Each structure stands twice: as structure tokens, then as C-alpha cells.
């Protein structure tokens, strides 16, 4: 039999088939994400969880008699699931839209993403609590068992069915949106809701139905995926980041583009498995990088506006809570006393994560860019510091500096790539780039895969201070933290910081004054990565380990959550947030997956009810008190003289 | 008639902008004489703001070329064009709301100092600019409000503040997009006086709906309608042009 480059046709076509199947799921999923993004301007991170719900829905229906033995329900097979589950999932989607997502349409896009991240953690966490990491088996329906021999390969009927049905669904969706009256209304509604409202159309209901439809597609994909992949709580999480990368590659504003891109990337992934198996998990992310470099708008996209800053900060410049010198002193004194009352290890964990959150706040709070991949900087620095300390015997301070250098380099590269696209794309790109680093760390040999780099020596600082003494270690970390805190304060309150502020407040105006705002954003992003690296490198020395968890998505989400709970763009918010989050994580550590559920709930609560965070709320309260006092003292209302209208 | 190249600060040729098949600016040739006040008028949607966006490079022209002081700037970035000395104001007032009045002006003064990338320097290093900040605020009558948050200003004062920020850059060419829109008559007078007083040694290109302001200030007027130039000349000539009258009456209300 003929072979191609020493590869058997069985292998080639087999992988091609798997690639095509994956591609169908990518297409169906990214279609839903693209519709929701295009029409509602929501980066639907919970799409993966909704896909998982579809698969579990099918599994539930099949196992009805076992699940509710007392009710005497029949077992509903695959075909029932194919009809019922998408509707069920769509209904859940409609409910989510009504209860949560609707609340953030008028807010900055970042909140929509944060909200759906929280919902995803909540749902996936709950399923994890119930079913654990293990997958459930779902058998291929009777009618589609077996297959046909095509001569060059064996084609299972079920896979053929998935490919044909998936593509048909995609085409039908494309037709409905691009070629029907309803679709025309939909497109018009997103561009000019007032106009469509004037036609007597209920726009809120239309948006709800659109969301439900996109989610229903994910549910359908979940049902179709159940017999192929394991039905597990994690199945959605691993796919959603890939889907975001697919959407970035496809570009904005093209429904058919999402379909082509999904199919194509699935096939490319399959081919990569044949010719270069190690690269198959990363190939989509690498393609994303190439597309960003050579065709920033995406393969089918039109717009290429650079990432725009959004002001989400809640600080008041003249507040006592923003007084850097004062708080530097308080933190130094407090930090010195604290280890005599709490475990130094607990204190060090808080300090490392607080520094990480402060670094993140620099880009999210002070520049207004929703970065979503800071784990890459934190984790890569941890790995490099651990490796140079453990394998090359670097002195501690040099090991940490090596880590910082790595994080800075990555930060410059990621920033340069991500700033080419605006708004939510910025978040998606940083997320996908961080995932690339994560996959790299799984495969590279020097990172030791699942084990990570362990037994990192704490060593000596400057050759004299022995860090194996817990107190010495603690005070070293405190010093690192204070230096980082001081550096951030200086950056924010420098001529450079003034320009950052103007960019956040009104970017077009800053440009019209002659500032190349992209360059400022890039430098700020790189500085933020550098400081995140300082936190990560220090952490690796403290805990004597660098592991995959440091690079995982969850670590990026932690940074966000700490900043959000504490108060975005405030001096102290990230520190307060770190204390809260680390305390929660430590208290709930024995409860396993509940930690994720609680964190997800915290995201949702913060976005819906506590957008100003603890510190922002406190500042509001303080300034309201000052105002009351002023009025009581006869100061009058704080209005400047009226204009002459 | 031969005009020497250096007489015109802006020379746009065949300037065109299409938005998804809709042509907002259609083959506009625009010459702006140095040290003149040039008004761009026309009914709503005529393409005036789009012209500004093209000249300041906020939008990339679909066709045509723009020269500034004889240099082709068609391919440059908006920030680069601003650094060359073309500074604009916006149709809807553009200030930095959560910065103080003084900081709003200082951010413009800060750029030429050259320390804007210095993230290691304290903010104190910008103190040297305070004197100039106060001078500018004095000129526009905002000095007493220098430490107020810009968001607290009434609308008229916000426009004045935006104007002061624009002036701080000592632009060679000022593009003003409806500087008097939304203002009461007193503020209109104030802005008109300001424009006249800063026009010495500068070139001003302004979009303006208030024709009495135009007639008082402008040396030359270009009338735009549906993306094309309808008429051009001094106010007396243009205001009697029957096509202009028709376009205005047909286009407005
Ligand atoms: N970014 C854009 N995308 C699509 N169409 C646009 C865009 N900007 C402007 N237009 C359209 O171009 C036309 C000209 O707009 P422009 O803002 O230049 O008018 P104008 O003369 O400034 O009007 P006004 O007096 O109302 O300010 C309008 O029909 C407008 O809808
Ligand atoms: Mg306009």
C-alpha cells in the first residue's frame, strides 16, 4: 500500500476524520460564541459549561430510571436527547440571560466576561463536586453502531452522522441569520436598537432569544459529543479557550467565517497529530499568533481597532485610602508585626498573591485593559526561578531576577500581539496566549510535566541571609512585596502614569494630543508582567515548587477576582482582595471543588452587586461622610457657578 | 493664477471616505491658507467631521492624499500627525473628566517636555509646568477653578477647558469641530473672542453651524454637502450662492 512520507493512509485518514469531527464541534461552538458576541457584545465564557450541560443532559435522560428509581420514568435515548436537550439548555440560557447577563449590557464589556467566567466556575464547580473528575460513559445509539469500510479507511456511522448533521446545523444557522427577515432584524437590532424598537419589536426579548439560541447550539453540540468524548465536568472548560482562539482567528462580523475557521482548524489540528504530534495541542494557538501578526483583523474580520482602554477604577485621588506614603508605612509596620500572630507561611502566601494582584491591577485598573492571562507571567517566572535555583544553583536573588526577566520578555511579546485587537478580543488573546504557555509547560521536559519542579532550595540572599529560617524568609518576602508596591505606586504617580490616566479617561483625546497610546499601553503591560513575575518567582522560592497550577487559567482568574473584590484601580484593593481570597481558599481547602464554586459565586456577586469592591465602597462611604459634614457646616452644595443657559 | 506651494498649510487632493459602500466624503480638494481662519460648513451629515477625522488621521482615507506643509501625511498615525502640530477639538467636548482642570492642561504641556515615558520619576517633576498651566487657565478664565475635578464643570466651561488644552500644545493648525455647539450666547461670545485672539500666527480650520460666528471670524468658507464641495470663497460670496442656500434649506430641518 502507498504511504505518504512514511505515514500510513489509515493513520492519516483516521486523524483527518478526528480532526474533522473536532472541527465540527469547534464550528458549532464558535458559531454560538460569535452570534452572542456579535449581537449582545458578551464574551460568553460560560459557553463551555453550557456545552457540558448538553452532554450531561443526554446522559441524564438515558439514566432516568436509575436517577429517580421511585418515579418509574422511562430511559430516553439519544434521539430524544437530540430533540429535548438543546431546548432544555436553551431554556437554562434564557434564564441566565434574564437573571444575570441582562444586568451588564449597559456596563463595560469586561463585566460581561467576568460575569460569565463566574457562572462557568459556578456550574463546572458544582458538577465537579457531584461527579468528580471522572467521566461518564455514553454509548453510541443502536442505529448508528458499526460503520462502513471505505477501502482506505473504516468510517464509523456515528462519526459520519456527526459531521453531516453538524455541518447542516451550521449552514441552517448561517442561512437564518444572513438570509431571512428574522436575521435581518437581529443584525439591525445590534446596530441600532432604538430603530428596531420603533418597528414595534421587543428588543430585550429578542436579545434573550438570541442568547438562548446560541446556548442551545452549545447544548446540541454537547449531546452530539456525548458518545464521542467522555461526559465529564471538565469537558467544557478545555474547549472554551480553544473556541475563543478560533473566534480571534476567524475575526469579527462574519458568521460563515466562524464556520470555515472552526472546520479548518479542526482539520489542521488533526493533521498536526499525524506529522508533529507534540505540537497538536498548541497548533491552534500558534496559528492565532501568526494571524495576529499578519492579519490582525482575523481571516474573515474587518475591524482592526487597537485595544481601547475602559475606565473601571473606583479610586478617588485625594482620598486617604490612596495616600501611598502613609500606606507604605502602615503596610511595613503591619507586615512586621503580623508574623508573630499568624503562620508566616500564610502571611507569605498573602504577600505573594497581593503583589501579583497589585501587578495585575496596574494594567486592569490603571490602564483599563482586561488582561486575562497573567498566570503566564506569574507561572513562567516561577518555573524559571525554580529551575535556575534547583538545576543551575543560582543564588536566590539571581534566580528570582531570571524569572522576572522571563516574565518581562513574555509580557512584551504578549502585549505587542494583544494590543492589536480591541475590547474583548484583548481578553481572549491574552487568555489564549497563556494557554499556549500552559500547554508548553505540560510537554517540555525541563518543567517535569504534572510533577512540576519540586524541592527548590530557598538558599541564601546575597550569600548571607539564610532563607531556610522561616522568619528570614518571611521578611525577605515582605521586603520584595514592599518594593513591588512602591514601584507600582511610583509608576502610577509619574509623568508616565499621568498619560496612562489620560488614556483611561479619554483615549481618542490622548491620541489627538499626540500620544502614541499603544506604546504607553505596551510599556504598562510589560511592567505589569514584570511585577507579576516578581510575585511568581518569589512564590517559587517560598513554597519551593513551580507547578502547572501556577500557569493555569485559574491563577489568572484569581488575580482578577482579588482585584475585583478589593476594588479595581485602587491602591489597596488588590491587597484587601488577596487577603479575602487567600483566606477563603485556605478555609475551604478541605472541601475540594467547593472552592471553585465559592469563587465563581464571588465573581457573580461582585459583578452584579459590588462593582466598586471593598475599598471602592469604603471610599464612597468616606467621601459621602465628608460631604455631609461640609453641608452641615454650612458649606452649601458643591456646584461650580452655573453656565449662562 | 499660480499659488506658491508654501501658501497652503493643508492641501488635500481627491479626499474620499467610504463606509461599507456609503460615501461620506467624495473627492474633496481642500486648500487651507496659512495664518487664516477657514470655516467648513454644511448641513448635518455633510461629511465635515469625517473630513476632520481624515485630516487628523483618525480615519484612513479610502482615496486621495493629504499634505501638511508640503509633507505627505496620508500614511501617518494620528498621534504622529498631532506631534507635527495638527491638533483638534471634538464635536462633543473631550476632556479628562476625573483629572483636575489644571491636570487637563498639564497633560498637554507635558508631552513636549519629553518625560512622558519616565515611569520612575515622581509626579513632582511636572511642577515646572505649573506656571504655564496657570497662564493658560488665566487666558481662558478658568484659573479660579484650577483644582476642581473637570467633571464638575458646567458644559460651557468644559468646552473652554478643552480649548485651553488644545492651545497648550501651541498647534500650528487648529481644527475646531463646532466649538460653540450647545453653548449659551455668552459662552459663544467668549469662545469666538478666544478663537480670534489665538488666531494670530496660527491657522484655524473650523466646522461651525452658527453662521454669525462664521461670518465674523472666517476669512474663507468651504461649503460641503453630501460629501462634496458645493462652493468656496469669502462669506459674502458664499452666502449669496443659490446652491448653498438651497442645500441648507433642503438639508436642515
Ligand atoms: N464611522 C462611521 N461609520 C459609518 N458611517 C459613518 C461613520 N462616520 C460617519 N458616518 C456617516 O457619514 C456621514 C457624514 O458624517 P459626518 O459626521 O462627517 O457629518 P457632519 O457633516 O459632521 O454632520 P454634523 O453636522 O451632524 O456633525 C453621515 O451620514 C454619517 O452617518
Ligand atoms: Mg460633525
Amino acid at each position: 500500500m502507498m504511504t505518504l512520507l512514511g505515514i500510513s493512509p489509515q493513520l492519516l485518514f483516521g486523524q483527518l476524520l478526528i480532526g474533522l469531527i473536532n472541527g465540527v464541534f469547534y464550528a458549532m461552538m464558535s458559531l454560538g460564541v460569535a452570534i452572542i458576541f456579535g449581537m449582545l457584545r458578551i464574551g460568553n465564557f460560560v459557553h463551555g459549561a453550557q456545552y457540558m450541560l448538553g452532554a450531561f443532559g443526554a446522559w441524564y435522560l438515558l439514566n432516568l430510571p436509575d436517577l429517580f428509581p421511585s418515579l418509574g420514568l422511562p430511559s430516553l435515548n439519544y434521539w430524544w436527547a437530540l430533540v429535548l436537550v438543546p431546548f432544555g439548555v436553551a431554556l437554562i440560557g434564557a434564564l441566565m440571560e434574564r437573571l444575570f447577563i441582562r444586568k451588564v449590557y449597559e456596563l463595560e464589556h469586561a463585566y460581561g466576561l467576568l460575569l460569565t467566567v463566574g457562572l462557568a466556575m459556578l456550574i463546572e464547580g458544582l458538577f465537579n463536586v457531584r461527579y468528580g473528575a471522572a467521566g461518564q460513559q455514553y454509548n453510541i445509539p443502536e442505529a448508528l453502531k458499526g460503520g462502513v469500510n471505505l477501502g482506505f479507511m473504516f468510517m464509523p456511522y456515528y462519526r459520519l452522522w456527526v459531521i453531516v448533521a453538524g455541518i447542516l446545523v451550521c449552514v441552517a444557522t448561517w442561512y437564518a441569520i444572513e438570509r431571512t427577515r428574522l436575521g435581518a432584524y437581529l443584525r439591525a437590532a445590534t446596530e441600532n436598537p432604538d430603530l428596531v424598537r420603533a418597528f414595534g419589536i421587543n428588543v430585550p426579548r429578542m436579545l434573550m432569544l438570541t442568547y438562548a439560541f446560541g446556548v442551545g447550539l452549545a447544548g446540541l453540540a454537547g449531546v452530539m459529543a456525548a458518545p464521542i468524548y467522555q461526559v465529564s465536568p471538565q469537558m467544557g472548560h478545555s474547549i472554551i479557550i480553544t473556541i475563543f482562539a478560533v473566534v480571534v482567528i476567524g475575526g469579527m462580523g462574519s458568521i460563515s467565517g466562524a464556520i470555515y475557521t472552526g472546520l479548518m482548524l479542526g482539520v489542521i489540528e488533526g493533521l498536526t497529530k499525524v506529522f508533529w504530534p507534540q505540537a497538536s495541542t498548541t497548533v491552534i494557538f500558534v496559528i492565532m499568533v501568526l494571524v495576529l501578526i499578519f492579519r490582525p483583523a482575523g481571516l474573515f474580520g474587518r475591524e482592526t481597532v487597537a485595544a481601547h482602554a475602559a475606565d473601571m477604577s473606583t479610586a478617588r485621588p485625594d482620598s486617604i485610602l490612596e495616600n501611598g506614603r502613609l500606606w507604605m508605612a502602615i503596610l511595613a509596620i503591619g507586615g512586621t508585626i503580623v508574623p508573630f500572630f499568624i503562620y508566616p507561611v500564610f502571611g507569605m502566601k498573602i504577600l505573594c498573591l497581593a503583589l501579583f494582584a497589585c501587578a495585575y491591577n496596574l494594567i486592569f485598573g490603571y490602564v483599563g485593559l482586561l488582561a486575562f492571562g497573567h498566570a503566564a507571567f506569574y507561572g513562567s517566572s516561577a518555573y524559571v526561578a525554580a529551575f535556575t535555583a534547583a538545576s543551575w544553583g543560582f543564588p536566590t536573588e539571581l534566580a528570582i531576577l531570571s524569572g522576572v526577566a522571563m516574565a518581562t520578555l513574555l509580557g512584551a511579546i504578549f502585549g505587542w500581539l494583544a494590543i492589536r485587537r480591541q475590547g474583548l478580543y484583548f481578553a481572549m488573546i491574552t487568555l489564549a496566549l497563556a494557554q499556549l504557555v500552559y500547554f508548553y509547560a505540560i510537554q517540555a521536559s525541563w518543567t517535569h510535566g504534572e510533577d512540576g519542579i519540586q524541592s527548590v532550595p530557598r538558599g541564601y540572599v546575597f550569600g548571607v541571609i539564610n532563607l531556610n529560617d522561616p522568619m528570614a524568609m518571611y521578611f525577605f518576602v515582605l521586603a520584595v512585596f514592599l518594593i513591588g508596591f512602591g514601584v507600582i505606586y511610583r509608576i502610577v504617580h509619574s509623568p508616565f502614569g499621568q498619560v496612562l490616566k489620560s488614556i483611561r479617561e479619554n483615549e481618542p483625546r490622548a491620541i489627538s494630543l499626540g500620544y502614541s497610546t499603544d506604546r504607553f499601553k505596551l510599556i504598562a503591560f510589560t511592567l505589569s508582567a514584570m511585577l507579576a513575575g516578581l510575585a511568581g518567582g518569589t512564590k517559587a522560592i517560598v513554597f519551593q515548587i513551580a507547578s502547572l497550577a501556577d500557569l493555569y487559567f485559574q491563577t489568572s482568574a484569581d488575580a482578577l477576582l482579588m482585584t475585583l473584590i478589593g476594588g479595581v484601580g485602587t491602591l489597596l484593593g488588590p491587597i484587601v482582595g488577596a487577603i479575602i481570597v487567600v483566606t477563603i481558599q485556605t478555609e475551604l481547602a478541605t472541601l475540594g471543588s467547593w472552592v471553585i464554586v465559592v469563587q465563581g459565586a464571588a465573581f457573580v456577586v461582585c459583578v452584579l452587586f459590588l462593582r466598586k469592591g471593598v475599598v471602592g465602597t469604603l471610599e464612597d462611604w468616606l467621601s459621602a461622610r465628608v460631604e455631609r459634614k461640609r453641608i452641615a457646616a454650612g458649606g452649601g452644595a458643591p456646584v461650580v457657578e452655573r453656565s449662562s443657559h | 493664477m499660480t499659488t506658491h506651494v508654501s501658501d497652503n498649510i493643508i492641501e488635500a487632493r481627491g479626499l474620499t471616505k467610504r463606509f461599507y459602500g456609503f460615501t461620506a466624503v467624495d473627492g474633496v480638494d481642500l486648500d487651507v491658507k496659512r495664518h487664516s481662519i477657514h470655516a467648513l460648513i454644511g448641513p448635518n451629515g455633510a461629511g465635515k467631521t469625517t473630513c476632520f477625522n481624515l485630516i487628523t488621521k483618525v480615519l484612513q482615507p479610502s482615496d486621495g492624499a493629504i499634505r501638511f506643509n508640503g509633507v505627505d501625511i496620508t500614511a501617518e498615525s494620528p498621534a504622529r500627525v498631532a506631534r507635527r502640530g495638527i491638533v483638534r477639538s471634538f464635536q462633543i467636548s473631550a476632556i479628562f473628566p476625573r483629572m483636575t482642570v489644571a491636570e487637563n492642561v498639564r497633560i498637554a504641556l507635558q508631552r513636549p517636555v519629553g518625560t512622558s515615558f519616565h515611569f520612575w520619576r515622581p509626579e513632582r517633576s511636572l511642577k515646572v509646568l505649573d506656571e504655564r498651566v496657570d497662564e493658560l487657565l488665566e487666558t481662558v478664565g478658568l484659573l479660579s477653578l484650577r483644582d476642581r475635578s473637570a467633571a464638575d464643570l458646567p458644559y460651557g466651561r468644559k468646552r473652554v477647558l478643552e480649548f485651553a488644552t488644545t492651545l497648550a500644545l501651541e498647534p500650528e493648525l487648529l481644527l475646531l469641530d463646532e466649538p460653540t455647539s450647545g453653548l449659551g450666547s455668552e459662552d459663544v461670545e467668549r469662545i469666538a473672542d478666544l478663537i480670534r485672539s489665538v488666531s494670530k500666527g496660527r491657522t484655524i480650520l473650523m466646522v461651525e453651524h452658527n453662521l454669525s460666528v462664521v461670518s465674523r471670524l472666517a476669512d474663507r468658507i468651504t461649503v460641503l454637502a453630501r460629501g462634496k464641495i458645493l462652493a468656496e470663497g469669502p462669506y459674502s460670496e458664499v452666502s449669496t450662492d443659490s446652491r448653498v442656500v438651497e442645500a441648507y434649506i433642503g438639508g436642515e430641518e
Side-chain angles (χ1 to χ4, degrees), chain A residues 313 495 505 509 513-515, chain B residues 83 88 98 107 110-111 166:
Chain A
S313 83
E505 296 269 286
R509 180 56 170 162
L513 296 178
Y515 290 112
Chain B
R83 291 198 289 272
R88 68 177 298 185
R98 290 179 11 161
I107 196 75
Q110 179 190 326
R111 181 169 58 69
T166 309

Side-chain angles (χ1 to χ4, degrees), chain B residues 58-123:
Chain B
V58 171
L59 292 174
Q60 186 58 28
S62 316
D63 241 315
I66 308 162
R67 298 169 85 80
F68 173 67
N69 280 333
V71 181
D72 191 332
I73 57 165
T74 318
E76 289 186 352
S77 77
R80 178 85 188 89
V81 168
R83 291 198 289 272
R84 282 188 182 276
I86 306 181
V87 182
R88 68 177 298 185
S89 71
F90 290 77
Q91 185 163 349
I92 294 164
S93 117
I95 53 162
F96 304 109
R98 290 179 11 161
M99 294 164 81
T100 65
V101 168
E103 281 173 338
N104 262 269
V105 176
R106 196 179 65 183
I107 196 75
L109 289 172
Q110 179 190 326
R111 181 169 58 69
V113 177
T115 59
S116 290
F117 285 112
H118 293 190
F119 53 80
W120 55 90
R121 249 175 225 270
E123 211 172 315

Side-chain angles (χ1 to χ4, degrees), chain A residues 42 46 62 65 125 173 189 198 211 260 276 291 319 330 347 349 442 445 464 509 543 562 569 588 608 612:
Chain A
I42 294 287
V46 66
L62 196 66
T173 307
Y211 187 77
Y260 293 136
W276 191 15
V291 166
S319 158
I330 293 176
K349 185 162 189 201
I442 290 181
S445 60
V464 279
R509 180 56 170 162
F543 296 98
M562 291 184 280
L588 298 184
L608 293 183
K612 297 198 157 185

Side-chain angles (χ1 to χ4, degrees), chain B residues 142-211:
Chain B
L142 285 176
L143 188 56
S144 59
L145 303 171
R146 78 183 299 280
D147 294 320
R148 301 306 284 257
S149 164
D152 292 343
L153 299 183
Y155 188 72
R157 295 305 182 83
K158 282 186 185 149
R159 298 237 67 159
V160 171
L161 174 59
E162 182 185 356
F163 194 70
T165 307
T166 309
L167 272 187
L169 288 171
E170 310 265 344
E172 209 181 330
L173 172 64
L174 260 121
L175 302 180
L176 306 174
D177 198 347
E178 306 200 18
T180 70
S181 78
L183 298 187
S185 55
E186 209 175 291
D187 284 330
V188 171
E189 289 309 307
R190 194 204 304 256
I191 293 260
D193 288 346
L194 275 174
I195 293 174
R196 181 182 294 288
S197 71
V198 303
S199 67
K200 292 179 194 71
R202 294 211 167 82
T203 314
I204 295 177
L205 175 60
M206 61 192 287
V207 170
E208 184 54 67
H209 276 306
N210 186 328
L211 291 184

